[in-house]
Amino acid sequence: MSGRARWIVPVLAAAAAFAAVRLLPVDAWLGEFQRWVGGIGPWGGAIYGAVYVVGALLFVPGSLLTIGAGLVFGLGWGTLIVSAASTTTAAIAFLVARHLARERVQAMARRHPRFEAIDRAIADKGWTVVALLRLSPVVPFSLSNYLYGLTPVRFVPYVVTSWVAMLPGTLLYVWLGAAGGAAAAAGRGEGRSPWEWGLLAAGLVATVVVTVLLTRAARRELERMRVEGARG
């Protein structure tokens, strides 16, 4: 998937979220869910995080789950929940591939033409390549978590690097969900002031810009490493 094509996914997801808010009784559903979550306290976030982990391990698109967290919990709590859940998912899938289901994951890897190059690059540069790939994903999130378990990267550097490098994308998708939640709240008569909407929009733009810049920088570095590897 090209760099431009990858950005179609969050744009379409955001458009779908806002369309759902307008065309479906999302405001009522969201209000009920938020009241339920509020009634069980911190367990609401824990339950959502557990659902996130199970869904991502079963190849449910992480972007949808992340946007959903922003929609329900808002920017702050949504980012915290997704960051913890996505890192936990990455760790579990890595361990499954390395110790429990290696042959099955190897079969998946053989169907992915880029994996051999990724494996060589990680063998040479270690966690640095993991960080670059997380910032500019060549492989979908759920699949990549398993594939990394086949590479030589060590577990702790992999987990820490994944956590840090996934934060920009997490923040972007959660922000999109939070904006949809704000629109739903406005539909329930809980509207924000123009100043609050301005801050929300400015924060979203800033997050998009930073994420795009990081993605492009990571893509350039990966291309440079690929060229150097081909020369070597």
Side-chain angles (χ1 to χ4, degrees), residues 112-213:
H112 199 285
R114 290 193 179 101
F115 175 70
E116 186 176 349
I118 292 172
D119 188 33
R120 289 197 304 268
I122 291 178
D124 184 37
K125 302 291 185 180
W127 61 267
T128 303
V129 176
V130 175
L132 293 172
L133 290 169
R134 289 297 194 191
L135 290 169
S136 180
V138 175
V139 187
F141 170 73
S142 294
L143 175 60
S144 70
N145 294 328
Y146 289 101
L147 296 183
Y148 287 131
L150 302 180
T151 70
V153 66
R154 290 183 294 122
F155 178 69
V156 173
Y158 159 78
V159 172
V160 174
T161 299
S162 295
W163 169 60
V164 174
M166 289 189 297
L167 279 174
T170 295
L171 187 60
L172 173 60
Y173 282 97
V174 172
W175 208 302
L176 291 172
R188 298 193 300 269
E190 304 168 4
R192 296 169 179 257
S193 68
W195 173 250
E196 289 175 316
W197 277 111
L199 288 176
L200 185 65
L204 176 59
V205 170
T207 304
V208 170
V209 170
V210 170
T211 306
V212 169
L213 291 176

Side-chain angles (χ1 to χ4, degrees), residues 73-126:
F73 298 100
L75 180 60
W77 280 110
T79 300
L80 181 63
I81 292 166
V82 170
S83 182
S86 60
T87 304
T88 300
T89 301
I92 293 174
F94 180 96
L95 293 174
V96 167
R98 180 157 291 187
H99 300 294
L100 297 178
R102 190 174 185 87
E103 291 185 2
R104 181 167 297 183
V105 178
Q106 284 174 331
M108 289 193 299
R110 285 192 290 268
R111 295 196 295 269
H112 199 285
R114 290 193 179 101
F115 175 70
E116 186 176 349
I118 292 172
D119 188 33
R120 289 197 304 268
I122 291 178
D124 184 37
K125 302 291 185 180

